[in-house]
Amino acid sequence: MPLPHTSALLVIDMQNSPVAIAHRAAETVAVIAGLRERAKAAGVPVVTIQDHGGGMEPDTHGWRVVPELAPGAGESVVRKASPDSFLGTDLDKVLKERGVTEVVVTGFATEICVDTTARQALSHAYDLVLVADGHTTSVRPDGDQYAAPDRSIAHHNEIFRHLAFPGRSIRVLPAAEVDFAAPRKPRADSAP
């Protein structure tokens, strides 16, 4: 039976400690904050995903979500302990309860939590929008074995532009092109 196409905005690990080491932190926070406002204005659920792993102790400054993206009243917060925002969490349940069929993914870190969560969303039967300018990674010294931050972000955007996943829509869009209010066609539910 066809389901109405319903989006949710995911904000992954935009906490004080990760943002303090993030490449283009202020710009990424501003992009996500703008998306949050547009999502809320359109009645689209915003789900904040908060990491509890890697030394981020609950109720510490580093663990808290940056003030510009702090969850508001009625917004869901999902706590995770791995790069996969679905693993051992209630994210899938939260999304299903809201009738979500598509996740709009933003956050930190591009090649770890953002990538893992985006791929798992596809495996959990969600369509995907990766916000090209709404995810970031850590600042790295020159000569580091990891790709430079801009290269890593561009690389992941390009991978997702060419990723094919049966029965799923995958789009990579700049924040300015994400339209939460656009009319949606029903889609066939491919969940088991």
Side-chain angles (χ1 to χ4, degrees), residues 20 64 68 77 96 98 111 122 127-128 139 145 179 186:
R64 288 186 186 91
E68 302 90 335
V77 177
K96 283 189 178 14
R98 287 157 183 76
E111 61 281 281
L122 294 166
D127 290 334
L128 172 68
V139 173
Q145 291 187 22
D179 186 0

Side-chain angles (χ1 to χ4, degrees), residues 109-116 136-138 140 146-147 152-153 156:
T110 296
E111 61 281 281
I112 304 171
C113 299
V114 170
D115 178 82
T116 303
T136 191
T137 191
S138 58
R140 296 162 184 160
Y146 290 102
S152 182
I153 293 164
H156 280 77

Side-chain angles (χ1 to χ4, degrees), residues 32-89:
I32 298 170
L35 280 169
R36 280 183 81 249
E37 290 306 311
R38 289 173 34 217
K40 291 187 324 187
V44 169
V46 176
V47 180
T48 300
I49 298 167
Q50 195 171 21
D51 191 7
H52 281 274
M56 297 233 277
E57 297 301 320
D59 299 319
T60 62
H61 174 75
W63 171 83
R64 288 186 186 91
V65 175
V66 295
E68 302 90 335
L69 302 176
E75 291 181 27
S76 298
V77 177
V78 171
R79 295 192 168 95
K80 69 177 181 66
S82 80
D84 178 355
S85 299
F86 289 90
L87 181 64
T89 74

Side-chain angles (χ1 to χ4, degrees), residues 97-122:
E97 286 174 349
R98 287 157 183 76
V100 171
T101 60
E102 175 182 77
V103 292
V104 178
V105 175
T106 66
F108 181 91
T110 296
E111 61 281 281
I112 304 171
C113 299
V114 170
D115 178 82
T116 303
T117 298
R119 290 174 190 265
Q120 287 302 313
L122 294 166

